[in-house]
Amino acid sequence: MRIRNTALVAVMCAGLAALTACGGEGEKADPDAGTNGVGKFPAKKIESKARTAAGSADAVHLSGSLVSKGRTYKLDMKLKGDGGTGVVSTKGSRYELLRVGEELYLKADAGFWAHQGASGGHSGDAAAADKLDDKYVKVPSGDPSYKRLSGFTDKSVMLDGLLGLHGTITAGERGEVGGIRTIRILGGKEGDGGSLDVSLKGRPYPLRLQRAGGAGVIRLEDWNKDFKLSAPDEDHVVDYGRQIPTGT
């Protein structure tokens, strides 16, 4: 009888092993099991690894909102080393940006150009705006808006400007972004200096950024996923001159 009882206990222990340890104190599951191991590092090193992974990636898709100089921008941009493409919205206006190498193009509807012409002090009437409707307008490199607009299409500029956290960096909770396990690192007190969710799968790419001071939330995905980038057909391009309307 004693042998049978011992055998029965052994069978029960084997069946319950995933839940608890029989005859002893249960051990907690390793939170880093099946991950890239980044979660074991100090928060500052996690940040460093995330920035290194981001900097070495060939492409990325950014989407979300950010506040810069008091203006809120909504972004949906695909970026890689030689340019980028996507949509920017701000203050009721929406326009597409395309940069191939040094060539920058802006596309918007007639309403956008009519508004920009008026705010820029141009006499541009509806007829002039209609000529630019849904066309790619080439932005001259000497135009005052070239640097700002091209910055939205520059992977290095965007990542360098977005990924920095402020204050002392600490490790936060683990979670998920888009079904991928992550660890969050926080800047400042309780994340008031921003937070970054870093992938625990594969390379430690940053997957979501909450900017300091409530200055926007950005999703970062499709790391290293290439996309087609080419200049528009000439018959879809309008040369506005040496300077486009200044309201953009």
Side-chain angles (χ1 to χ4, degrees):
M1 178 68 78
R2 189 171 185 179
I3 293 175
R4 288 180 181 175
N5 288 342
T6 301
L8 180 59
V9 170
V11 171
M12 292 175 63
C13 283
L16 297 174
L19 300 177
T20 183
C22 287
E25 203 172 331
E27 294 183 2
K28 292 183 179 180
D30 180 2
D32 293 298
T35 73
N36 54 21
V38 167
K40 297 180 179 179
F41 295 126
K44 190 68 178 176
K45 190 169 184 179
I46 296 174
E47 182 200 33
S48 175
K49 285 185 169 293
R51 292 183 71 104
T52 298
S56 64
D58 293 328
V60 64
H61 178 192
L62 303 180
S63 61
S65 62
L66 65 88
V67 179
S68 178
K69 297 180 180 179
R71 178 179 285 193
T72 299
Y73 297 90
K74 291 188 180 298
L75 309 175
D76 190 355
M77 302 294 300
K78 291 182 178 180
L79 310 174
K80 57 183 181 178
D82 59 347
T85 182
V87 178
V88 179
S89 302
T90 181
K91 286 188 176 180
S93 65
R94 178 184 182 279
Y95 48 90
E96 296 180 34
L97 292 173
L98 168 65
R99 182 175 63 83
V100 183
E102 298 300 317
E103 303 296 325
L104 176 65
Y105 305 89
L106 185 154
K107 183 168 76 169
D109 61 21
F112 170 90
W113 289 112
H115 173 74
Q116 302 301 74
S119 64
H122 294 270
S123 60
D125 54 15
D130 284 342
K131 292 181 180 180
L132 302 178
D133 181 42
D134 209 31
K135 295 284 188 179
Y136 285 98
V137 175
K138 188 174 182 180
V139 183
S141 58
D143 188 282
S145 63
Y146 179 90
K147 183 177 181 180
R148 178 172 56 81
L149 292 174
S150 65
F152 288 121
T153 67
D154 191 312
K155 181 171 72 74
S156 295
V157 169
M158 290 296 289
L159 292 179
D160 287 347
L162 289 173
L163 294 182
L165 299 178
H166 303 284
T168 302
I169 299 175
T170 57
E173 297 181 351
R174 294 162 188 263
E176 286 190 1
V177 174
I180 299 175
R181 293 168 65 184
T182 59
I183 184 167
R184 177 170 294 181
I185 53 176
L186 309 169
K189 185 178 180 181
E190 298 181 352
D192 59 3
S195 68
L196 193 65
D197 294 292
V198 179
S199 175
L200 290 174
K201 178 181 178 181
R203 298 210 66 191
Y205 292 119
L207 300 182
R208 180 171 56 200
L209 167 74
Q210 293 183 307
R211 302 187 74 210
V217 178
I218 298 289
R219 281 284 301 272
L220 306 97
E221 52 196 343
D222 295 338
W223 288 101
N224 271 327
K225 185 177 181 179
D226 197 16
F227 58 92
K228 185 177 181 180
L229 193 63
S230 57
D233 295 335
E234 289 187 7
D235 57 350
H236 288 104
V237 176
V238 174
D239 188 349
Y240 197 88
R242 289 186 294 179
Q243 183 175 332
I244 65 173
T246 57
T248 51

